């Protein structure tokens, strides 16, 4: 960007924006730290309640161990092909013996 006379260029606008973000963030953390220092018991209670509420999700945790589901896109043709193969040939393990002559 070409800066205009009078200092209204892109660099000046970015510096003002950066300063505004910095000042706003500084004021926010000052207010939060003041509340935490003045009310430590309430802060600890809120953190414990929040952690307990989020911990409820552990009951819904389910580890996926199937490499097909982990590494194959959900809408892949591979799942349809797998269903077709299982319908025709079954899902049982088969033992094959090879005998070589010679």
């Amino acid at each position: 960007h070409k800066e205009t006379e009078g200092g209204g260029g892109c660099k000046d606008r970015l510096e003002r924006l950066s300063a505004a973000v910095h000042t706003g963030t500084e004021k926010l953390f000052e207010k939060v730290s003041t509340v935490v220092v003045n009310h430590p018991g309430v802060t600890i209670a809120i953190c414990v309640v929040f952690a307990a509420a989020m911990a409820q999700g552990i009951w819904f945790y389910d580890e996926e161990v199937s490499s097909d589901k982990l590494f194959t896109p959900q809408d892949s043709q591979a799942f349809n092909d797998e269903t077709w193969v299982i319908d025709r040939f079954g899902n049982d393990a088969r033992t094959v013996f090879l005998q070589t002559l010679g």
Side-chain angles (χ1 to χ4, degrees):
H1 292 276
K2 185 177 179 183
E3 292 190 12
T4 60
E5 290 185 30
C10 186
K11 184 178 178 184
D12 290 338
R13 281 182 268 157
L14 288 176
E15 286 176 352
R16 285 194 306 270
L17 175 65
S18 175
V21 168
H22 179 77
T23 303
T25 305
E26 202 171 58
K27 287 180 181 180
L28 171 70
F29 280 103
E30 181 182 1
K31 289 178 183 179
V32 169
S33 64
T34 302
V35 170
V36 169
V37 168
N38 291 333
H39 307 285
V42 173
T43 304
I44 291 171
I46 289 172
C47 290
V48 169
V49 168
F50 181 75
M54 295 299 112
Q56 303 305 310
I58 197 73
W59 284 312
F60 300 106
Y61 177 75
D62 186 31
E63 182 179 2
E64 184 59 65
V65 293
S66 169
S67 61
D68 293 340
K69 290 183 181 177
L70 283 172
F71 302 111
T72 307
Q74 295 300 313
D75 58 346
S76 175
Q77 179 65 32
F79 290 113
N80 295 333
D81 294 345
E82 178 184 29
T83 303
W84 183 88
V85 169
I86 290 172
D87 288 346
R88 281 156 184 79
F89 302 105
N91 200 19
D92 299 329
R94 297 177 188 204
T95 305
V96 176
F97 294 100
L98 279 172
Q99 181 177 6
T100 57
L101 301 174

